[in-house]
Amino acid sequence: MSRDDKNDETTLSPRAREQRERILAAAQHCFVKYGFHAASMANIAEAAAMSAGLIYRYFPNKSSIVLAIIERQSEMELEDIRALGASTDPVDALMECFVEWSRPRPDMRIMNAALFLETSAEATRDKQVANAIHHADELACTEFRQWLEKPAEEGGIGMSPAISERRSLALMLLVEGLAVRAARDPKLDTELLREALAEVVHKLMEE
Amino acid sequence: MSRDDKNDETTLSPRAREQRERILAAAQHCFVKYGFHAASMANIAEAAAMSAGLIYRYFPNKSSIVLAIIERQSEMELEDIRALGASTDPVDALMECFVEWSRPRPDMRIMNAALFLETSAEATRDKQVANAIHHADELACTEFRQWLEKPAEEGGIGMSPAISERRSLALMLLVEGLAVRAARDPKLDTELLREALAEVVHKLMEE
Amino acid sequence: MSRDDKNDETTLSPRAREQRERILAAAQHCFVKYGFHAASMANIAEAAAMSAGLIYRYFPNKSSIVLAIIERQSEMELEDIRALGASTDPVDALMECFVEWSRPRPDMRIMNAALFLETSAEATRDKQVANAIHHADELACTEFRQWLEKPAEEGGIGMSPAISERRSLALMLLVEGLAVRAARDPKLDTELLREALAEVVHKLMEE
Amino acid sequence: MSRDDKNDETTLSPRAREQRERILAAAQHCFVKYGFHAASMANIAEAAAMSAGLIYRYFPNKSSIVLAIIERQSEMELEDIRALGASTDPVDALMECFVEWSRPRPDMRIMNAALFLETSAEATRDKQVANAIHHADELACTEFRQWLEKPAEEGGIGMSPAISERRSLALMLLVEGLAVRAARDPKLDTELLREALAEVVHKLMEE
DNA sequence: TATGAATGAGGCTTCATTCAT
DNA sequence: TATGAATGAAGCCTCATTCAT
């Protein structure tokens, strides 16, 4: 969370912000394609159409880029979850997630299954990543609970906190399992998946 | 699956098989600790208490070790799933998985959450890994279905194939979500998790 | 000595001279702090509160700055020696040198032990530096001799040229040894040093 | 002083010791030629006729090589001082030092004026270097004092400790000044230098 | 005049892999 | 069979220098 003031988004010139964005997009592309470790700064530089040296004007080192990507990714996850709550049919929202995550070249979207899994694995080894992830997960979990507890008069289910605690966890397992599936079997029969999801999700939303 | 004949397990001398085993155990240890890319051949050689050069007598290169580890891992997954079916209480079996996966140093066991996730991510990029994984997943899924469909007279639930197809998929999502949780939040409250799992699993086992 | 005409001090506008001065002061500061090689143009630019690019309007490259600093330094050395001759007690003057040279942050003064030593070492490798230094040393030596030979009626010692030739060399060894000491042992007991210097200097000033 | 056990000279294989020696000789050569910072690992590798990577089997990084060279150099300095005490005429010994130090290519000897000066300058900036140097200087100073205090019946001067404290410091200044001269003016008239040294040294050896 | 973004070469270091022994 | 020395390519990063603005 604590960023170098130099790169603090609030004090960045438009140009600098633009460049950072370009680099992050390139990095995201390369990380998806090769993985965090296998992607080289040269790969990223090429994808960003700039020299490798220039990247270091905007990021102090490679791992800060990784971290920035992880933070961005976490934000996307949160948005996904919010979309899930906002959608008429949560199953549709989940399916959309699956399809997007398993797309071979998700250029436009930060969230990507392989990245998500690698990030999760990295949390096991890198304290900084672990912290970033933990924070993101807390937000995600809260979001799930608020969704389940939203009163009926607001169009929600109005689940009791005692139950929502368990159910939100179950939902997280499901969503994260979806990410694993997206990576391991991107060609999974979507109809079958939809049915399976529909069943579980509905069971989980009953009081 | 198509292995170099030289290393085909059926033609291997006992000595060779032993050495391969030693190397794989060491590699597993290192991959868990550092990740596939960050673990070096030197790390593995040291963990195996042999010279780096010797490893190349048993494996043509690093990625063949990775592949072998992935295959072994898949076998362990299968065993986990079988244990799940065999246990009196599947929830207990799941909890055991979670605890083992999230252990900081699972020296004795091949299956490990971080490894599983990294492997899954790698499937996105490496065709060979993808194939190995796909095969493993099919076996796993079949196992789940057989468990759900086991006739009542044999102590099973006797679920109908039409339903078990969906439910086995849901179970996989759950189990794989568990792996993600184990990596992202190893200190997760196990009591809460048990309750959440119990609820979903029981719902999924109802006709 | 042969400078680029563009930067010849005689043809420089006051503005340009001012800028050069600012750069040199910054460079001196950085060279003392980091050493000739470790100090970067970016460091110097920051210390001079100007852009890196602008420096190149006043100096063709980094090594020309190094050379300019060396020349300035030589001038300071000469002043030190003159101060030594002019002071009532040469030992006091030497002590002052030592203290200034070994100061951690001699911001105001160009002469600095570490810089002096690095410069001397560089003379071994760079012909231009060697020339600059040789010239400076000749002036310094002459200064010493003139001081020793100054007639008694002018308040001097009136040493004979035959002897002053040797003694001035001995004095240089002493002063330069002082620079080495300042770098190697800046916390050297100044009282002891004063006594040691007093003894030798007085012996060297006897006919 | 505290070395990595792996590189502890007492546990090194003959081969390893040989290689370390080869690397150090090459490094010494390059450091003299280019300076500590300007000499690259590639330079050293080439001079040692081995690949750059191989150097890292024997030294963990460049600065450990620098430190090793500094330690060796300090040992040579000590030997020089001992030779000075042991020689019939200390002035001869000093002259020999000067000549050796100022040789353009002192391949056989570690001690070299430029290296000595650069080391001294580096002590200003690097704590590890400062420590190594401080230790070396203490030994050197002790050596000087023991020489001056050696009783007459053993062929010494038998100087009193009170005086030797000052005189040994003066001698160090002189010797170190000699190093500076060797770097700054390697073509200095040796006859003149000898006379100058003879005079001061003899004065310093009188009670 | 002044900026600072941009480059490209080069520096240090690691590591999979080979090979003489 | 086993070692571990050796290599070379590649990775990350820094920096003097240039150039469009």
Side-chain angles (χ1 to χ4, degrees), chain D residues 21-36:
Chain D
E21 216 49 46
R22 197 143 71 98
I23 292 165
L24 287 178
Q28 135 84 9
H29 178 84
C30 293
F31 290 161
V32 167
K33 192 168 170 189
Y34 304 115
F36 283 135

Side-chain angles (χ1 to χ4, degrees), chain C residues 15 19 53 57-58:
Chain C
R15 167 66 169 166
Q19 291 283 60
R57 187 168 287 278
Y58 300 98

Side-chain angles (χ1 to χ4, degrees), chain A residues 40-146:
Chain A
S40 73
M41 291 300 286
N43 290 151
I44 298 174
E46 194 187 347
M50 62 174 68
S51 71
L54 186 53
I55 295 180
Y56 288 85
R57 182 173 283 279
Y58 302 99
F59 293 91
N61 48 42
K62 185 181 172 183
S63 70
S64 71
I65 299 182
V66 169
L67 226 52
I69 291 285
I70 289 178
E71 278 174 21
R72 279 181 125 206
Q73 193 183 243
S74 299
E75 284 165 28
M76 293 312 259
E77 275 168 60
L78 207 55
E79 280 183 30
D80 279 346
I81 294 176
R82 281 185 185 134
L84 205 134
S87 68
T88 6
D89 186 355
V91 174
D92 280 345
L94 284 174
M95 287 306 299
E96 215 171 294
C97 284
F98 176 82
V99 172
E100 267 205 28
W101 293 349
S102 57
R103 251 211 258 297
R105 285 267 193 129
D107 288 321
M108 300 291 85
R109 204 99 175 356
I110 279 292
M111 185 57 173
N112 163 276
L115 230 43
F116 173 78
L117 300 183
E118 229 179 346
T119 297
S120 303
E122 196 65 11
T124 283
R125 301 168 193 130
D126 182 325
K127 197 131 191 59
Q128 262 187 302
V129 172
N131 289 341
I133 274 191
H134 205 72
H135 180 237
D137 278 0
E138 256 167 25
L139 294 180
C141 199
T142 304
E143 202 64 34
F144 270 127
R145 293 195 64 178
Q146 286 179 348

Side-chain angles (χ1 to χ4, degrees), chain C residues 9 11 14 22 26 32-33 44 56 62-63 73 76 86 88 102 105 125 130 133 135 138 149 162 166 168 185 199:
Chain C
E9 281 179 25
T11 64
R22 197 140 71 95
V32 167
K33 192 166 170 191
I44 297 173
Y56 285 84
K62 186 180 172 183
S63 66
Q73 195 182 241
M76 294 311 263
T88 7
S102 57
R105 285 268 193 125
R125 300 165 194 134
I133 273 190
H135 180 235
E138 256 166 24
E149 294 173 11
R166 298 199 301 270
S168 61
D185 188 6
E199 213 172 37

Side-chain angles (χ1 to χ4, degrees), chain D residues 17-33 39 43-50 55 59 65-66 68-69 72 105-111 115:
Chain D
R17 205 195 307 271
E18 214 172 78
Q19 290 284 63
R20 270 182 69 96
E21 216 49 46
R22 197 143 71 98
I23 292 165
L24 287 178
Q28 135 84 9
H29 178 84
C30 293
F31 290 161
V32 167
K33 192 168 170 189
N43 290 151
I44 297 175
E46 194 187 347
M50 62 174 68
I55 295 180
F59 293 91
I65 300 182
V66 170
I69 291 285
R72 279 180 126 205
R105 286 268 193 125
D107 289 319
M108 299 292 83
R109 204 103 174 351
I110 280 293
M111 185 57 175
L115 230 43

